[in-house]
Amino acid sequence: MARRLTPWRWAVLGLAALYFLVPLTASVIFTVDVPGQGVTFDAYTRILSTEGFVSSLLLSLELAVATIAVVLLLTVPAVVALRLGAPRMRPVVEVVCSLPLVVPPIAFVAGIVTVLKWGPEHLSRTPLFQTFVVIQNENFPVVLVLAYVVMALPFVYRALDAGLRSIDVGTLVEAARSCGASWPQALVRAVLPNLRGALLNASFLTLALVLGEFTVAQLLGFRPFAVWIYNVGGSQAQMSVAVSVLSLLVTWALLLALAGAGGGRTRTASSRG
């Protein structure tokens, strides 16, 4: 592969590496170089003991797991049914799933706030009022899960659509149905095992979105991990940058693990073939 890379491609790769590594290196230097003290790692050692770190990180991870589960439960059956029964509707569904990319986050949050105001203003004497209270619980804000599901739709749809293009869904479902499987069993046992790569890609993209999302959570008054980093940065700049560096490294580690797992499955399938 290295022999096939032309000097122009090497130059592009070098510029891309500089684009990512120079800011990261500068951030690391900023966190460890304290004027008057020299090199110290206090910004990293104090992270775990800082108030709100563990709770905000756990909240973001819980929101990520819930968002991944909901968005996959909604999109996987939909895209499979779309490919099998209504392929002509694919452009319409693609446009609808891409709408969150063109709607500004401020406008999106304004719409959510408007809907949430219906509870105390119009539904205070109905059983639905309690639902509006529950979805805004600070310990686990369901409203953020619903918002993140909408925001993740473009990425999840693209990942699943690419995965479905690489397999013959109709043949798999027909084979499973001919063996006596029901429609849910055909989806779980025949289609999903062939979509592992797409499902992992969609899950990773959703996880990255939830961990890094700031605008919606901040404007709605909740405090997941990204908002906690912002609040810490107001008084402890070095620790804020240190947490951001660690978050970036963890994200890269997850991406490398995902790429390694996908490559391992590809090599195994090739060797069996």
Side-chain angles (χ1 to χ4, degrees):
M1 180 177 179
R3 295 178 179 177
R4 294 197 300 267
L5 292 177
T6 63
W8 170 249
R9 293 180 179 178
W10 277 114
V12 172
L13 290 176
L15 290 175
L18 290 175
Y19 180 81
F20 288 104
L21 293 179
V22 170
L24 181 60
T25 303
S27 299
V28 173
I29 293 175
F30 174 75
T31 59
V32 300
D33 186 14
V34 179
Q37 299 182 17
V39 177
T40 177
F41 293 93
D42 289 343
Y44 293 93
T45 57
R46 289 187 287 111
I47 290 177
L48 293 178
S49 60
T50 303
E51 181 181 0
F53 170 76
V54 177
S55 60
S56 63
L57 179 59
L58 290 178
L59 176 60
S60 290
L61 292 177
E62 291 172 357
L63 292 173
V65 171
T67 303
I68 291 171
V70 174
V71 74
L72 290 182
L73 286 174
L74 289 176
T75 54
V76 171
V79 294
V80 172
L82 183 69
R83 192 168 185 83
L84 292 176
R88 294 183 179 179
M89 291 295 295
R90 181 178 173 275
V92 178
V93 176
E94 184 174 354
V95 170
V96 172
C97 291
S98 301
L99 286 178
L101 294 177
V102 299
V103 176
I106 301 298
F108 184 50
V109 176
I112 295 175
V113 172
T114 301
V115 174
L116 293 178
K117 288 182 178 180
W118 292 351
E121 292 181 357
H122 305 289
L123 304 174
S124 58
R125 298 182 179 180
T126 66
L128 290 177
F129 175 72
Q130 190 62 30
T131 302
F132 280 79
V133 175
V134 171
I135 64 174
Q136 299 180 69
N137 187 349
E138 293 184 357
N139 295 326
F140 186 78
V142 179
V143 64
L144 282 185
V145 175
L146 300 178
Y148 293 158
V149 167
V150 175
M151 297 173 67
L153 274 178
F155 312 106
V156 174
Y157 174 79
R158 291 289 183 180
L160 295 178
D161 184 64
L164 287 173
R165 286 173 176 269
S166 63
I167 62 176
D168 190 349
V169 182
T171 302
L172 290 174
V173 173
E174 289 179 5
R177 293 284 291 166
S178 64
C179 293
S182 61
W183 281 105
Q185 289 176 334
L187 177 63
V188 173
R189 297 184 179 182
V191 178
L192 291 186
N194 292 279
L195 287 178
R196 288 178 182 174
L199 293 173
L200 287 174
N201 291 334
S203 300
F204 174 79
L205 292 172
T206 305
L207 174 65
L209 183 147
V210 174
L211 290 179
E213 201 287 320
F214 169 79
T215 305
V216 175
Q218 172 72 4
L219 294 179
L220 291 179
F222 300 107
R223 198 183 182 190
F225 192 54
V227 177
W228 178 84
I229 293 177
Y230 172 79
N231 293 335
V232 171
S235 57
Q236 304 179 56
Q238 282 188 317
M239 182 178 296
S240 175
V241 176
V243 174
S244 300
V245 170
L246 287 179
S247 301
L248 182 61
L249 293 178
V250 170
T251 304
W252 283 2
L254 290 174
L255 178 60
L256 292 175
L258 180 63
R265 285 194 299 271
T266 302
R267 288 191 295 270
T268 302
S270 301
S271 62
R272 290 179 178 177

